[in-house]
Amino acid sequence: MGFARTCSVALVGVEGVVVEVQADLEPGVAAFTLVGLPDKSLTESRDRVRAAVVNSGAEWPQKKLTVGLSPASVPKGGSGFDLAVACAVLGAAERIDPRVLADIVMIGELGLDGRVRPVRGILPAVLAAADAGYEQVVVPECAAAEATLVPGVSVLGVRSLRQLIAVLADEPVPEEEPDAQGRPDPLLAGLRMPGTGAATGMHSLGAAHHDHDLADVVGQIPARTAVQVAAAGGHHLFLEGPPGAGKTMLAERLPAVLPRLTRQESLEVTAVHSVAGLLPPGKPLIDVAPYCAPHHSATMQSLVGGGPGVARPGAVSLAHRGVLFLDEAPEFHGQTLDALRQPLESGHVVIARSAGVVRFPARFLMVLAANPCPCGRFSQRDALCDCPPSAIRRYQARLSGPLLDRVDLRVEVEPVTRAQLTAPGAGGESTAAVAERVRAARERSAARLAGTPWRTNSEVPGRELRSRFHAAAGAMDEAERSLERGVLTARGIDRVLRVAWTVADLVGHDRPGAADVALALHLRTGVPRGVPLAIEALA
């Protein structure tokens, strides 16, 4: 009787569980039994592993073979266990020394010819292995760069099962023939999920899009100010205005204004995109803010996560530490939009299914864009709109009050006039200038929040704002009167104070003054408060 064991990782959301893969050989009729709560794709690994072992030049044991995946109570799926199953079987057959396999974590899919193909979720899987104390990991060669992002782990990238057998058996490592030149590497197909390209709106733009510059936006001083405040404090933004006024332009330029991700944030974002199959080959680490713009026909599962079987991350998780842009927001289904309430407050999504509970990170900056009415021409200053009042009310009511109450900044985007378009030097500050101001504001807030679990002003709870981070004396009087009149809710006044702190960070004030609070009130309610709308005018 032969026995061997090695390890692999089962992913539950973006969290991994180390699974011990055990192989046992007994005399009897040749059979292959796989136990341990595998799904359909994992059950099919029996045929893939047998063909890969034979085509790699090793002998398949003609005995009763049982492969167990422990702990058996954890659901396991995907093809990432193939490599571990093959090596455990070869260890039980004494083709490989079983003692060599015991402390190695193996992740990868096997082709029928023995080539090792990559799978999604390499980074969170290696992170889970490192947290469990393992120091050696075997992954596909084309995914080795992603695995090496985890410190303290020795990564071996292999292109075929033949190479891995030779390494583990201390034999000369064979050279694999390169693929035909001019063709895409077929092994890279496992890194991406079909149907998740740039056309879906779920991809990383961030600072990499140099052709998106804020200087292209003509006029729109209130909206430009709101974009700066949103980037500096992580505040959600609602842009309302007629078609062609520049709402989408502003939203697309927001990611480039955000600071580059820290090392920890990059690992969080990369882990989510790796699990979702959106990690671009050749770029193992995402270090710029992601930008996700799903279509208004998106379902609730595609927005917040879910789907059949094991839940997958949705747009709110793909926008983690970045921007989620919902254009034509009233056209989204009402229940889909209201599902955003919890992640807007908590910064994560918890999806409960019969197979288990999955938790995805979802701390994003939400930008809503909407027309004022179905025809888009409704305005208080002219009568171009043909929509009846009842249609306007129904259209605007599609965005629920509880959702809008969680949005800190609400700006009306005015149509651009001919004079503004044709004026020399009509563009405002460039993205580089605004990004530098935002970076300085983030540094001020980080110094103030040092020693706390919060990173931006938008994350500070209301009780902490009222007890530790006070505005200047008398600065909140107007906001408190708005609370008494019912213009602001209790949550609303806390959000006004958060925005006021961000404005103070942008202009360099030690604490919010009356002018900072007045601008925050203007950006919250849309009612002019007699203060300049440009940030540089308040400094």
Short mmCIF file of all heavy atoms in Angstrom, two decimals, residues 206-207 212 214 226-232 235-237 239 248-259 289-291 322-325 365-367 431 434 438:
data_model
loop_
_atom_site.label_atom_id
_atom_site.label_comp_id
_atom_site.label_asym_id
_atom_site.label_seq_id
_atom_site.Cartn_x
_atom_site.Cartn_y
_atom_site.Cartn_z
N GLY A 206 -7.53 54.08 -14.34
CA GLY A 206 -6.67 54.78 -13.41
C GLY A 206 -5.72 55.72 -14.10
O GLY A 206 -6.00 56.32 -15.11
N ALA A 207 -4.55 55.89 -13.53
CA ALA A 207 -3.58 56.84 -14.02
C ALA A 207 -2.96 56.40 -15.35
O ALA A 207 -2.23 57.15 -15.96
CB ALA A 207 -2.48 57.05 -12.98
N HIS A 212 -6.89 61.14 -20.75
CA HIS A 212 -8.01 61.69 -20.00
C HIS A 212 -7.47 62.75 -19.04
O HIS A 212 -6.91 62.42 -17.99
CB HIS A 212 -8.73 60.58 -19.21
CG HIS A 212 -9.57 59.70 -20.08
ND1 HIS A 212 -10.21 58.58 -19.61
CD2 HIS A 212 -9.88 59.78 -21.40
CE1 HIS A 212 -10.87 58.01 -20.60
NE2 HIS A 212 -10.69 58.72 -21.69
N LEU A 214 -8.17 66.50 -16.96
CA LEU A 214 -9.20 67.42 -16.47
C LEU A 214 -9.17 68.75 -17.23
O LEU A 214 -10.18 69.47 -17.25
CB LEU A 214 -9.00 67.68 -14.97
CG LEU A 214 -9.75 66.76 -14.01
CD1 LEU A 214 -9.36 67.09 -12.58
CD2 LEU A 214 -11.25 66.91 -14.19
N ALA A 226 -16.15 69.49 -6.94
CA ALA A 226 -16.69 68.27 -6.34
C ALA A 226 -15.81 67.07 -6.64
O ALA A 226 -15.63 66.18 -5.79
CB ALA A 226 -18.12 68.03 -6.84
N VAL A 227 -15.25 67.00 -7.84
CA VAL A 227 -14.36 65.90 -8.19
C VAL A 227 -13.12 65.92 -7.31
O VAL A 227 -12.66 64.87 -6.82
CB VAL A 227 -13.99 65.98 -9.69
CG1 VAL A 227 -12.81 65.07 -10.00
CG2 VAL A 227 -15.17 65.60 -10.55
N GLN A 228 -12.55 67.10 -7.07
CA GLN A 228 -11.39 67.20 -6.20
C GLN A 228 -11.72 66.75 -4.78
O GLN A 228 -10.96 66.01 -4.15
CB GLN A 228 -10.86 68.63 -6.18
CG GLN A 228 -10.30 69.12 -7.49
CD GLN A 228 -9.73 70.51 -7.38
OE1 GLN A 228 -8.87 70.77 -6.53
NE2 GLN A 228 -10.20 71.43 -8.21
N VAL A 229 -12.86 67.22 -4.26
CA VAL A 229 -13.25 66.87 -2.90
C VAL A 229 -13.52 65.36 -2.80
O VAL A 229 -13.12 64.70 -1.83
CB VAL A 229 -14.50 67.68 -2.48
CG1 VAL A 229 -15.01 67.20 -1.12
CG2 VAL A 229 -14.16 69.17 -2.43
N ALA A 230 -14.17 64.80 -3.82
CA ALA A 230 -14.44 63.36 -3.81
C ALA A 230 -13.14 62.56 -3.80
O ALA A 230 -13.02 61.58 -3.05
CB ALA A 230 -15.28 62.99 -5.03
N ALA A 231 -12.17 62.98 -4.59
CA ALA A 231 -10.90 62.25 -4.65
C ALA A 231 -10.11 62.40 -3.36
O ALA A 231 -9.47 61.44 -2.90
CB ALA A 231 -10.07 62.74 -5.84
N ALA A 232 -10.12 63.58 -2.76
CA ALA A 232 -9.32 63.82 -1.56
C ALA A 232 -9.89 63.12 -0.34
O ALA A 232 -9.13 62.67 0.53
CB ALA A 232 -9.21 65.32 -1.30
N HIS A 235 -15.33 60.69 -1.00
CA HIS A 235 -16.77 60.96 -0.88
C HIS A 235 -17.49 60.56 -2.16
O HIS A 235 -16.98 60.77 -3.27
CB HIS A 235 -17.01 62.44 -0.59
CG HIS A 235 -16.27 62.96 0.59
ND1 HIS A 235 -16.64 62.68 1.88
CD2 HIS A 235 -15.16 63.74 0.69
CE1 HIS A 235 -15.81 63.27 2.72
NE2 HIS A 235 -14.90 63.91 2.01
N HIS A 236 -18.70 60.04 -2.02
CA HIS A 236 -19.51 59.67 -3.17
C HIS A 236 -20.08 60.93 -3.82
O HIS A 236 -20.35 61.94 -3.16
CB HIS A 236 -20.64 58.74 -2.74
CG HIS A 236 -20.15 57.52 -2.00
ND1 HIS A 236 -19.24 56.64 -2.56
CD2 HIS A 236 -20.42 57.06 -0.75
CE1 HIS A 236 -18.99 55.68 -1.68
NE2 HIS A 236 -19.68 55.92 -0.58
N LEU A 237 -20.33 60.84 -5.14
CA LEU A 237 -20.64 62.02 -5.93
C LEU A 237 -21.84 61.74 -6.82
O LEU A 237 -21.95 60.67 -7.42
CB LEU A 237 -19.42 62.40 -6.78
CG LEU A 237 -19.55 63.52 -7.81
CD1 LEU A 237 -19.89 64.83 -7.13
CD2 LEU A 237 -18.24 63.66 -8.60
N LEU A 239 -23.80 63.55 -10.04
CA LEU A 239 -23.77 64.59 -11.06
C LEU A 239 -25.10 64.55 -11.82
O LEU A 239 -25.45 63.53 -12.42
CB LEU A 239 -22.62 64.35 -12.04
CG LEU A 239 -21.21 64.35 -11.44
CD1 LEU A 239 -20.19 63.91 -12.49
CD2 LEU A 239 -20.84 65.71 -10.89
N THR A 248 -19.94 62.37 -17.95
CA THR A 248 -19.08 61.21 -18.17
C THR A 248 -17.61 61.60 -18.26
O THR A 248 -16.73 60.88 -17.77
CB THR A 248 -19.51 60.49 -19.46
OG1 THR A 248 -20.90 60.12 -19.34
CG2 THR A 248 -18.69 59.24 -19.70
N MET A 249 -17.32 62.76 -18.87
CA MET A 249 -15.94 63.23 -18.93
C MET A 249 -15.35 63.39 -17.54
O MET A 249 -14.21 62.99 -17.28
CB MET A 249 -15.87 64.56 -19.68
CG MET A 249 -16.08 64.47 -21.18
SD MET A 249 -15.91 66.09 -21.97
CE MET A 249 -14.18 66.42 -21.67
N LEU A 250 -16.11 63.98 -16.65
CA LEU A 250 -15.63 64.19 -15.28
C LEU A 250 -15.39 62.87 -14.58
O LEU A 250 -14.38 62.69 -13.89
CB LEU A 250 -16.63 65.04 -14.50
CG LEU A 250 -16.69 66.52 -14.89
CD1 LEU A 250 -17.98 67.16 -14.38
CD2 LEU A 250 -15.49 67.27 -14.33
N ALA A 251 -16.32 61.92 -14.73
CA ALA A 251 -16.18 60.63 -14.06
C ALA A 251 -14.97 59.86 -14.58
O ALA A 251 -14.25 59.22 -13.81
CB ALA A 251 -17.45 59.81 -14.24
N GLU A 252 -14.73 59.91 -15.90
CA GLU A 252 -13.61 59.17 -16.46
C GLU A 252 -12.26 59.76 -16.05
O GLU A 252 -11.26 59.05 -16.05
CB GLU A 252 -13.72 59.18 -17.99
CG GLU A 252 -14.83 58.31 -18.53
CD GLU A 252 -14.93 58.38 -20.04
OE1 GLU A 252 -14.35 59.33 -20.63
OE2 GLU A 252 -15.59 57.50 -20.62
N ARG A 253 -12.24 61.03 -15.67
CA ARG A 253 -10.99 61.66 -15.26
C ARG A 253 -10.75 61.59 -13.76
O ARG A 253 -9.67 61.95 -13.30
CB ARG A 253 -10.98 63.12 -15.74
CG ARG A 253 -10.72 63.24 -17.22
CD ARG A 253 -11.38 64.43 -17.88
NE ARG A 253 -11.07 64.46 -19.32
CZ ARG A 253 -11.66 63.69 -20.22
NH1 ARG A 253 -12.59 62.83 -19.85
NH2 ARG A 253 -11.31 63.77 -21.50
N LEU A 254 -11.74 61.11 -13.02
CA LEU A 254 -11.58 61.00 -11.58
C LEU A 254 -10.53 59.98 -11.15
O LEU A 254 -9.73 60.26 -10.25
CB LEU A 254 -12.93 60.69 -10.93
CG LEU A 254 -12.96 60.49 -9.42
CD1 LEU A 254 -12.36 61.69 -8.70
CD2 LEU A 254 -14.38 60.24 -8.94
N PRO A 255 -10.44 58.77 -11.75
CA PRO A 255 -9.42 57.81 -11.30
C PRO A 255 -7.99 58.33 -11.39
O PRO A 255 -7.15 58.01 -10.54
CB PRO A 255 -9.64 56.61 -12.22
CG PRO A 255 -11.04 56.72 -12.68
CD PRO A 255 -11.31 58.17 -12.78
N ALA A 256 -7.70 59.14 -12.42
CA ALA A 256 -6.34 59.65 -12.56
C ALA A 256 -5.99 60.68 -11.51
O ALA A 256 -4.81 60.95 -11.28
CB ALA A 256 -6.15 60.25 -13.95
N VAL A 257 -7.01 61.26 -10.85
CA VAL A 257 -6.78 62.23 -9.79
C VAL A 257 -6.47 61.52 -8.47
O VAL A 257 -5.80 62.07 -7.60
CB VAL A 257 -7.99 63.17 -9.65
CG1 VAL A 257 -7.81 64.16 -8.51
CG2 VAL A 257 -8.22 63.92 -10.96
N LEU A 258 -6.96 60.30 -8.32
CA LEU A 258 -6.75 59.56 -7.08
C LEU A 258 -5.28 59.20 -6.91
O LEU A 258 -4.58 58.94 -7.89
CB LEU A 258 -7.59 58.28 -7.08
CG LEU A 258 -9.10 58.46 -7.05
CD1 LEU A 258 -9.80 57.11 -7.26
CD2 LEU A 258 -9.55 59.08 -5.74
N PRO A 259 -4.79 59.16 -5.67
CA PRO A 259 -3.40 58.75 -5.44
C PRO A 259 -3.17 57.30 -5.85
O PRO A 259 -4.11 56.49 -5.90
CB PRO A 259 -3.22 58.94 -3.92
CG PRO A 259 -4.35 59.81 -3.49
CD PRO A 259 -5.48 59.55 -4.42
N ALA A 289 -5.85 53.12 -9.32
CA ALA A 289 -7.25 52.96 -8.92
C ALA A 289 -8.06 52.35 -10.07
O ALA A 289 -8.03 52.87 -11.19
CB ALA A 289 -7.84 54.31 -8.52
N PRO A 290 -8.77 51.25 -9.83
CA PRO A 290 -9.60 50.67 -10.89
C PRO A 290 -10.82 51.54 -11.18
O PRO A 290 -11.25 52.34 -10.35
CB PRO A 290 -10.01 49.31 -10.33
CG PRO A 290 -9.92 49.46 -8.85
CD PRO A 290 -8.81 50.45 -8.60
N TYR A 291 -11.38 51.35 -12.35
CA TYR A 291 -12.54 52.12 -12.80
C TYR A 291 -13.53 51.14 -13.41
O TYR A 291 -13.21 50.45 -14.38
CB TYR A 291 -12.11 53.16 -13.83
CG TYR A 291 -13.24 53.93 -14.49
CD1 TYR A 291 -13.77 55.07 -13.90
CD2 TYR A 291 -13.74 53.53 -15.72
CE1 TYR A 291 -14.77 55.78 -14.52
CE2 TYR A 291 -14.75 54.24 -16.34
CZ TYR A 291 -15.26 55.36 -15.75
OH TYR A 291 -16.26 56.07 -16.35
N GLY A 322 -11.22 52.05 -5.91
CA GLY A 322 -11.28 52.83 -7.13
C GLY A 322 -12.62 53.51 -7.29
O GLY A 322 -13.25 53.91 -6.31
N VAL A 323 -13.08 53.61 -8.53
CA VAL A 323 -14.28 54.37 -8.87
C VAL A 323 -15.31 53.44 -9.50
O VAL A 323 -14.99 52.67 -10.42
CB VAL A 323 -13.95 55.51 -9.85
CG1 VAL A 323 -15.22 56.25 -10.28
CG2 VAL A 323 -12.97 56.49 -9.21
N LEU A 324 -16.54 53.51 -9.01
CA LEU A 324 -17.69 52.83 -9.61
C LEU A 324 -18.57 53.91 -10.23
O LEU A 324 -19.18 54.71 -9.51
CB LEU A 324 -18.46 52.02 -8.58
CG LEU A 324 -19.74 51.35 -9.09
CD1 LEU A 324 -19.41 50.26 -10.10
CD2 LEU A 324 -20.56 50.77 -7.93
N PHE A 325 -18.65 53.95 -11.55
CA PHE A 325 -19.41 54.97 -12.26
C PHE A 325 -20.70 54.36 -12.77
O PHE A 325 -20.68 53.42 -13.58
CB PHE A 325 -18.59 55.54 -13.40
CG PHE A 325 -19.32 56.56 -14.23
CD1 PHE A 325 -20.06 57.57 -13.63
CD2 PHE A 325 -19.28 56.51 -15.62
CE1 PHE A 325 -20.74 58.51 -14.39
CE2 PHE A 325 -19.94 57.45 -16.39
CZ PHE A 325 -20.68 58.45 -15.76
N LEU A 365 -15.43 54.42 -4.50
CA LEU A 365 -15.94 55.78 -4.62
C LEU A 365 -17.01 55.74 -5.72
O LEU A 365 -16.70 55.48 -6.87
CB LEU A 365 -14.81 56.74 -4.99
CG LEU A 365 -15.03 58.24 -4.81
CD1 LEU A 365 -13.70 58.97 -4.82
CD2 LEU A 365 -15.93 58.82 -5.89
N MET A 366 -18.26 55.97 -5.34
CA MET A 366 -19.37 55.86 -6.28
C MET A 366 -19.65 57.22 -6.92
O MET A 366 -19.74 58.24 -6.24
CB MET A 366 -20.62 55.35 -5.58
CG MET A 366 -21.82 55.16 -6.52
SD MET A 366 -23.29 54.56 -5.68
CE MET A 366 -23.71 55.98 -4.66
N VAL A 367 -19.81 57.22 -8.24
CA VAL A 367 -20.21 58.40 -8.99
C VAL A 367 -21.50 58.07 -9.73
O VAL A 367 -21.52 57.15 -10.56
CB VAL A 367 -19.12 58.84 -9.98
CG1 VAL A 367 -19.58 60.08 -10.75
CG2 VAL A 367 -17.82 59.13 -9.26
N THR A 431 -4.90 67.55 -14.88
CA THR A 431 -5.00 66.44 -13.94
C THR A 431 -3.80 66.39 -13.01
O THR A 431 -3.93 66.09 -11.81
CB THR A 431 -5.12 65.12 -14.73
OG1 THR A 431 -6.37 65.11 -15.43
CG2 THR A 431 -5.06 63.92 -13.79
N VAL A 434 -4.21 68.99 -10.17
CA VAL A 434 -5.26 68.59 -9.22
C VAL A 434 -4.81 67.37 -8.43
O VAL A 434 -5.05 67.27 -7.21
CB VAL A 434 -6.57 68.31 -9.97
CG1 VAL A 434 -7.63 67.77 -9.02
CG2 VAL A 434 -7.08 69.58 -10.64
N VAL A 438 -4.64 66.88 -4.38
CA VAL A 438 -5.33 65.77 -3.72
C VAL A 438 -4.33 64.95 -2.89
O VAL A 438 -4.64 64.53 -1.76
CB VAL A 438 -6.04 64.89 -4.77
CG1 VAL A 438 -6.52 63.59 -4.14
CG2 VAL A 438 -7.22 65.65 -5.37
#
